[in-house]
Amino acid sequence: MKKILWLALGVALGFVVAHQVNQTAEGRRFFSDLDKRTKGFTESIVDGYRERESELRAVLGDAGEALSSTSK
């Protein structure tokens, strides 16, 4: 229980500090840059996932066709 209290306190303190930093022009610039980088990273992950998913679906489709043609 004590660890959860420390975790909650740390999260709350982090939000307070982030809010204070965001009040300055440099802080807003920092968070804006961080947001852009995070979105870019997330988009890269999603693109890679979709590309790999389409590759796997193509392979599974080819395997399914091969199995159905050999069973006839």
Side-chain angles (χ1 to χ4, degrees):
M1 190 69 175
K2 191 174 182 180
K3 290 181 182 182
I4 293 174
L5 177 65
W6 282 111
L7 176 66
L9 182 63
V11 169
L13 185 61
F15 276 115
V16 169
V17 170
H19 181 70
Q20 293 298 319
V21 169
N22 197 35
Q23 298 297 319
T24 64
E26 189 175 324
R28 282 189 294 276
R29 229 180 354 264
F30 169 76
F31 284 119
S32 176
D33 183 48
L34 181 64
D35 186 47
K36 288 177 189 173
R37 289 178 185 218
T38 303
K39 285 181 181 178
F41 177 73
T42 303
E43 289 171 1
S44 296
I45 296 294
V46 169
D47 290 344
Y49 177 86
R50 289 187 178 144
E51 182 179 328
R52 184 63 177 150
E53 182 182 28
S54 66
E55 291 171 359
L56 292 173
R57 287 187 187 275
V59 168
L60 287 175
D62 292 345
E65 290 174 9
L67 285 174
S68 64
S69 67
T70 58
S71 64
K72 289 182 181 179

